[in-house]
């Protein structure tokens, strides 16, 4: 990678030139590499692991992978091979870390200083969770949450609540959730959760549990730290608590991906990507003067649904001098990116358009 750090072994197959290696567990897609890409190539997709990835052995015999399904009328373990016989669906959705954009907050935040690249648009194929539920007699009474547990081994002596990746989302999310075995047309790579991943379109990355070993309908949210106190939005200086909003559904957002540096005088293509969170986009506007005036950009390529992103472009005439290029997306429901966002302790969910603007000088 260009910042000097080599790709870790488990992601050695990725494109080093397109990635920023923050650490062994955190790799970000370069802003320029996102370009106007409709689907993020797997080689460019960011990585965020809360725990080290399991060994490659778990993808040696994919169809033999077992998931325990609980909180249904007829709970049991089921193999990936059998899941493939229950139903299949393909969905395009943005995979985005809760902390994407953390670097744009003014206050000091701990955690990876992601710019825009802890996000990608991914095509997943798998079985709808509702088909799994139907095959097992329906959700048991009194269950309000859909809980997924990651397949990492928890070292002996470590209380699992403290580190295990287990996330609960409101039960209603099962209508759009899938258990995916394919990513961008290939078996899900280990680094992205193979052999089987819980994908919840419209929900922040953390809820998309990798190497899924348990899918449970539960009365309560997971007791684990990652659910109870982490990934909670709270004022700066406050500790995480279950009463605070959890990082569930994503918000409307867009960012420019080019040009990022000095441009030539004259007509240029200003391009970027925009997402509605959970709603279809109505429009993206682009400003070349730091938000004083706006022009509607053109979407590029097909609309892949409310959970996917859309590349956009505006052809603009840039004169000599410096230009602050900004983009602002609006959904059909009228959700628009704000100019500024309230700071929050962990630096989650930044979608303010001003901080995402890029300064370009035309020579
Ligand atoms: N899962 C598991 N199992 N583990 C871990 O660590 N992480 C999270 C998710 N899931 C994990 C899981 C996060 S946090 C994120 S973002 C995501 O994932 C990422 O993805 P990729 O594939 O990209 O790596 Mo933040 O909100």
């Amino acid at each position: 990678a260009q910042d000097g750090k080599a790709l870790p072994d488990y992601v050695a197959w990725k494109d080093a030139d397109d990635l920023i290696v923050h650490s062994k567990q955190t790799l970000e897609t370069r802003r320029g590499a996102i370009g106007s890409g409709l689907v993020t190539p797997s080689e460019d997709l960011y990585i965020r692991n809360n725990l080290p990835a399991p060994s490659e052995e778990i993808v040696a015999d994919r169809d033999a992978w077992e998931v325990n399904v609980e909180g249904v009328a007829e709970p049991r373990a089921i193999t990936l091979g059998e899941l493939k016989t229950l139903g299949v669906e393909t969905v395009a959705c943005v995979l985005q870390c809760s902390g994407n954009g953390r670097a744009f907050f003014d206050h000091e935040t701990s955690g990876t200083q992601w710019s825009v690249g802890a996000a990608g648009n991914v095509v997943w194929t798998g079985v709808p969770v509702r088909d799994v539920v139907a095959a097992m007699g329906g959700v048991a009474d009194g269950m309000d949450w859909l809980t997924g547990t990651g397949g990492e081994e928890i070292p002996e002596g470590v209380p699992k609540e403290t580190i295990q990746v287990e996330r609960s989302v409101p039960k209603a999310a099962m209508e759009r959730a899938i258990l995916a075995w394919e990513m961008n047309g290939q078996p899900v790579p280990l680094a992205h959760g193979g052999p089987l991943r819980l994908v919840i379109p419209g929900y922040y990355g953390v809820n998309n549990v990798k190497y899924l070993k348990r899918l449970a309908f539960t009365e309560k949210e997971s007791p684990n730290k990652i659910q109870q106190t982490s990934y909670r939005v709270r004022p700066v200086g406050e500790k995480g608590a279950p009463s605070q909003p959890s990082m569930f559904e994503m918000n409307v957002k867009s960012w420019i991906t080019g040009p990022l540096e000095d441009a030539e005088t004259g007509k240029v293509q200003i391009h970027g990507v925009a997402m509605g969170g959970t709603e279809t986009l109505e429009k993206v506007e682009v400003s070349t003067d730091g938000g004083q005036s706006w022009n509607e950009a053109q979407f590029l390529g097909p609309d892949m649904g409310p959970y996917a992103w859309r590349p956009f472009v505006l052809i603009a005439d840039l004169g000599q001098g410096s230009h602050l290029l900004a983009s602002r997306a609006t959904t059909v429901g009228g959700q628009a990116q704000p100019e500024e966002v309230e700071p929050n302790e962990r630096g989650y969910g930044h979608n303010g358009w001003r901080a995402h603007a890029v300064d370009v000088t035309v020579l």
Side-chain angles (χ1 to χ4, degrees), residues 55-309:
S55 108
E56 284 284 344
E57 280 161 38
I58 71 165
V59 290
D61 184 1
R62 290 170 177 268
D63 283 354
W65 180 260
E66 274 193 352
V67 192
N68 282 310
V69 184
E70 299 168 19
V72 289
E74 296 144 29
R76 66 179 172 101
I78 184 165
T79 62
L80 171 48
E82 189 184 348
L83 283 170
K84 287 177 176 169
T85 68
L86 299 182
V88 57
E89 194 170 271
T90 290
V91 61
C93 58
V94 174
L95 181 68
Q96 179 183 216
C97 186
S98 308
N100 196 31
R102 180 175 286 134
F104 298 125
F105 283 99
D106 292 329
H107 67 290
E108 199 155 319
T109 48
S110 61
T112 307
Q113 295 300 304
W114 305 110
S115 162
V116 294
N121 196 35
V122 182
V123 179
W124 302 99
T125 296
V127 60
V129 167
R130 49 179 201 283
D131 290 349
V132 180
V133 167
M136 297 190 186
V139 176
D141 287 344
M143 304 304 180
D144 291 333
W145 299 89
L146 172 60
T147 299
T149 310
E152 292 104 333
E153 296 281 344
I154 306 300
E156 195 111 19
V158 178
K160 78 171 172 55
E161 290 75 16
T162 59
I163 61 165
Q164 185 185 51
V165 177
E166 181 175 88
R167 285 287 296 178
S168 305
V169 297
K171 185 180 71 177
M174 73 173 252
E175 295 304 330
R176 51 171 124 133
I178 69 170
L179 307 186
W181 53 78
E182 224 175 82
M183 183 182 111
N184 293 343
Q186 299 288 328
V188 180
L190 174 73
H192 292 292
L196 193 69
R197 184 172 194 167
L198 174 61
V199 172
I200 308 181
Y203 276 66
Y204 280 101
V206 67
N207 304 290
N208 296 257
V209 176
K210 309 195 224 188
Y211 350 99
L212 187 75
K213 69 162 190 199
R214 172 176 174 259
L215 180 76
F217 289 91
T218 53
E219 281 173 38
K220 295 204 168 99
E221 292 179 69
S222 167
N224 290 8
K225 179 172 177 284
I226 196 170
Q227 181 80 22
Q228 293 289 321
T229 56
S230 302
Y231 297 90
R232 298 278 174 178
V233 181
R234 70 263 194 182
V236 176
E238 265 181 42
K239 286 211 162 79
S243 56
Q244 300 150 352
S246 198
M247 292 308 284
F248 290 149
E249 289 189 327
M250 294 188 282
N251 53 25
V252 58
K253 185 167 177 177
S254 71
W255 59 91
I256 282 165
T257 57
L260 300 177
E261 282 159 18
D262 300 349
E264 303 274 300
T265 318
K267 296 236 179 204
V268 290
Q269 283 190 9
I270 300 170
H271 49 90
V273 292
M275 55 184 277
T278 58
E279 277 178 27
T280 300
L281 288 167
E282 184 196 291
K283 62 175 178 186
V284 180
E285 297 156 293
V286 169
S287 174
T288 57
D289 54 13
Q292 288 167 52
S293 64
W294 296 90
N295 283 295
E296 201 166 324
Q298 165 203 334
F299 287 121
L300 278 176
D303 182 350
M304 297 176 84
Y307 311 118
W309 78 26

